[in-house]
Amino acid sequence: LMQIRSCQKGFTLIEVILTVALTGIITGVILTPIFQTLKIPARSSLKITAMENIKNSAYKISKDIRMAKTTDLIDGAAPVNHVTLNWTSWYDVSGQLISHPHSVVYTLSGVKLMRSYDGGTQTIVGNYISSVEFSRLNQIIYVSISASPENKSQTAERKAYRIYLQPKEDFVP
């Protein structure tokens, strides 16, 4: 007769399933905070990038608006995504009296805010710019800029500015 061994070694199927399930749960509990910790700095970095692009764009725009005497914006009209600013320089760098008109055009091209000075080459003022709006009410230019690095809504930033045009006093040299 055959003898049946009563002390077999090994694991039952139920023990293996329970071990795999517990390992999965423990791994999930441990790894979730690690992944969140890694994602938060990346998102924060993209938000900082968006804010820096907005700030740099707004600085350049505000500098030009403060120089401008006139603009192509219609007083009280709906916002548009481009603007032309005009002014006249009366003196050159040596102090000689001149009359030299200047013009700056801002346009949005894809996700780049472009600036053209006196009809010259366009330069990039801001990257990752998802929208820009210019409007005018009396002598105030309203500028709203949105930026979204990697085109992700959770990293999008928006900022609005009010910038005053120069008074329209005529200069008589």
Side-chain angles (χ1 to χ4, degrees), residues 79-130:
V80 293
N81 65 356
H82 56 86
V83 67
T84 301
L85 306 166
N86 305 294
W87 68 89
T88 301
S89 293
W90 293 103
Y91 295 95
D92 64 11
V93 291
S94 66
Q96 296 293 318
L97 182 63
I98 61 165
S99 173
H100 184 17
H102 296 283
S103 178
V104 172
V105 178
Y106 284 94
T107 55
L108 187 61
S109 176
V111 294
K112 296 179 191 277
L113 182 60
M114 307 299 289
R115 177 184 185 261
S116 175
Y117 179 69
D118 285 346
T121 306
Q122 286 191 331
T123 57
I124 299 170
V125 175
N127 289 304
Y128 309 116
I129 305 298
S130 50

Side-chain angles (χ1 to χ4, degrees), residues 48-68:
I48 290 169
T49 299
M51 287 304 295
E52 283 297 312
N53 276 287
I54 290 172
K55 184 178 85 171
N56 292 338
S57 299
Y59 173 76
K60 194 66 165 171
I61 292 168
S62 68
K63 190 174 173 186
D64 287 338
I65 289 174
R66 287 192 306 266
M67 294 281 296

Side-chain angles (χ1 to χ4, degrees), residues 33-54:
I34 293 171
F35 284 126
Q36 287 178 343
T37 304
L38 295 175
K39 281 176 104 175
I40 290 171
R43 188 178 317 148
S44 295
S45 177
L46 290 174
K47 283 183 158 291
I48 290 169
T49 299
M51 287 304 295
E52 283 297 312
N53 276 287
I54 290 172

